[in-house]
Amino acid sequence: MRLNSRILGEEIKRIRKNKGLTQSDLANGICTQAAISGIESGRTFPSIDILYYLSLRLQVSMDYFLEKITFRQEQYVNDTYSYIEQLIKQDNFEELLEITNYELKRETGYKDESLELFLSWQQAISRYELKQITWEECISQLYNLLDSNHYSIKQQFLNIRIKNSIGNVLANNEQYTDALAIFTEILKEEINMDGYHRMKLKVYFNVSKLYYVMEDYKKSHHYAIEGIRISLIMEDLSVLGPLYVQAGQSLFRLKGNRNKILDLYNNALFMFRLYGREDYISVVQKLTLMLNKENN
């Protein structure tokens, strides 16, 4: 992990001022005042010897500086991840592209390879969604990321998340066979991580939706029901509403039992009301009306 000269400089300046020292006082017998000015502004990084003597004069340990800088850097990375995940949920691709472009081009400050991999993934998706690149170019860029040897590609199951994106892009462009192959590959993975299990539920929904588009309603229903079963076992509600809808729609196409279909729709309504998803509630209400008309 590289140390950030700006963060180090800010911390040295803060401690110096708290102790009532001038830059000249801090520099005395260690280095020049100009050197302290450069360090505090983040323009230069002190040698280990100078940092050691500065720590003695400021009455803090070398470890303090390392821990403080590491915390600040990790906080920045975590804040960036959280903000981007929020934008992903909102499908805010304009803002996603803006922040990923900024972070990937940034030459100063803390750089994290895991974050860069994550940013590159979201940059490719955003550019595709905003029609700046073709779906083929997007797929190519995502596969290049999968070829990365960086440890985080598997440690953070980014490979699974990227594969899911590839499957979605393929499905949206009617490459159904290739999309199914990718989704099936993900479902065969066995990773003992909560995040992976949540991702797996999304894949069950994606596969069910894909079979529905392909008019294979029996398989669509099977995968939706399996996703519901696993969701309930895991007590994970994240995709439960959409899975209920998908199960209900496929059973409707199979001319299944009306009461069973209605139960699935009502379960979906309960989940969407729980999360205040008015847009989804409206969709399910329309499906329910369609079901009632069919049976009149």
Side-chain angles (χ1 to χ4, degrees):
M1 179 178 289
R2 290 179 291 176
L3 298 182
N4 187 303
S5 60
R6 180 183 59 79
I7 294 175
L8 177 62
E10 287 175 356
E11 190 61 20
I12 288 174
K13 182 178 181 179
R14 185 188 68 79
I15 298 172
R16 173 180 65 76
K17 287 192 169 185
N18 284 347
K19 292 187 175 296
L21 299 173
T22 65
Q23 287 186 344
S24 180
D25 293 333
L26 183 57
N28 187 27
I30 298 175
C31 57
T32 65
Q33 182 180 339
I36 295 297
S37 177
I39 292 167
E40 289 188 351
S41 68
R43 293 193 307 271
T44 59
F45 197 92
S47 66
I48 294 297
D49 289 345
I50 289 178
L51 186 59
Y52 171 72
Y53 287 115
L54 291 177
S55 70
L56 291 178
R57 183 152 296 165
L58 294 171
Q59 297 178 312
V60 296
S61 68
M62 291 278 281
D63 285 345
Y64 170 83
F65 284 126
L66 296 175
E67 289 172 6
K68 193 74 177 179
I69 293 166
T70 299
F71 172 76
R72 289 277 298 278
Q73 293 175 160
E74 288 179 350
Q75 185 179 42
Y76 178 83
V77 169
N78 290 336
D79 288 347
T80 303
Y81 273 121
S82 297
Y83 181 56
I84 290 177
E85 292 285 6
Q86 192 176 32
L87 293 176
I88 293 170
K89 288 179 181 178
Q90 298 168 352
D91 289 336
N92 189 342
F93 299 111
E94 290 86 358
E95 186 71 20
L96 265 172
L97 186 58
E98 186 176 333
I99 191 172
T100 54
N101 283 343
Y102 169 77
E103 288 290 336
L104 289 169
K105 289 177 182 177
R106 183 168 54 83
E107 295 181 357
T108 59
Y110 179 58
K111 306 285 280 185
D112 179 271
E113 291 182 23
S114 298
L115 179 60
E116 287 187 28
L117 192 62
F118 179 81
L119 291 167
S120 297
W121 164 39
Q122 288 307 315
Q123 184 188 58
I125 293 298
S126 300
R127 292 187 68 202
Y128 159 69
E129 292 289 350
L130 295 171
K131 303 188 186 308
Q132 293 187 6
I133 57 175
T134 64
W135 69 266
E136 292 96 339
E137 288 171 320
C138 178
I139 293 293
S140 176
Q141 290 178 22
L142 295 178
Y143 271 119
N144 285 339
L145 293 178
L146 285 178
D147 289 337
S148 168
N149 291 322
H150 194 264
Y151 74 93
S152 65
I153 194 76
K154 288 190 175 180
Q155 187 184 56
Q156 299 176 12
F157 66 93
L158 265 180
N159 57 333
I160 301 297
R161 299 183 71 184
I162 292 172
K163 283 180 181 179
N164 188 54
S165 291
I166 290 173
N168 284 329
V169 173
L170 288 168
N172 290 338
N173 289 278
E174 300 182 1
Q175 307 299 305
Y176 301 137
T177 302
D178 291 340
L180 279 173
I182 287 286
F183 289 140
T184 303
E185 192 176 309
I186 295 172
L187 292 178
K188 287 180 179 177
E189 293 271 3
E190 286 298 334
I191 302 172
N192 190 25
M193 293 176 68
D194 287 341
Y196 165 69
H197 293 305
R198 284 193 295 274
M199 171 57 62
K200 202 168 183 177
L201 292 176
K202 291 181 182 178
V203 175
Y204 272 106
F205 171 72
N206 288 339
V207 173
S208 177
K209 184 171 67 173
L210 184 52
Y211 274 122
Y212 186 87
V213 171
M214 296 169 67
E215 299 183 0
D216 189 337
Y217 304 120
K218 188 173 182 180
K219 284 185 178 177
S220 175
H221 184 258
H222 166 78
Y223 277 96
I225 292 297
E226 184 64 10
I228 291 167
R229 185 186 70 81
I230 296 171
S231 294
L232 295 175
I233 290 173
M234 292 173 54
E235 299 181 354
D236 187 324
L237 310 181
S238 58
V239 200
L240 197 51
L243 283 168
Y244 277 127
V245 174
Q246 201 63 50
Q249 282 185 294
S250 55
L251 190 58
F252 174 77
R253 292 291 185 177
L254 290 168
K255 302 187 183 301
N257 182 277
R258 177 186 178 278
N259 290 333
K260 286 185 178 180
I261 299 169
L262 196 57
D263 283 344
L264 291 166
Y265 286 163
N266 285 335
N267 287 339
L269 280 173
F270 174 81
M271 296 306 305
F272 294 143
R273 283 172 180 148
L274 188 66
Y275 288 101
R277 296 303 305 265
E278 295 297 330
D279 48 346
Y280 287 148
I281 290 171
S282 175
V283 169
V284 179
Q285 287 173 337
K286 288 177 183 177
L287 291 172
T288 304
L289 283 173
M290 188 186 304
L291 175 65
N292 290 333
K293 285 180 181 178
E294 283 281 325
N295 287 271
N296 285 336

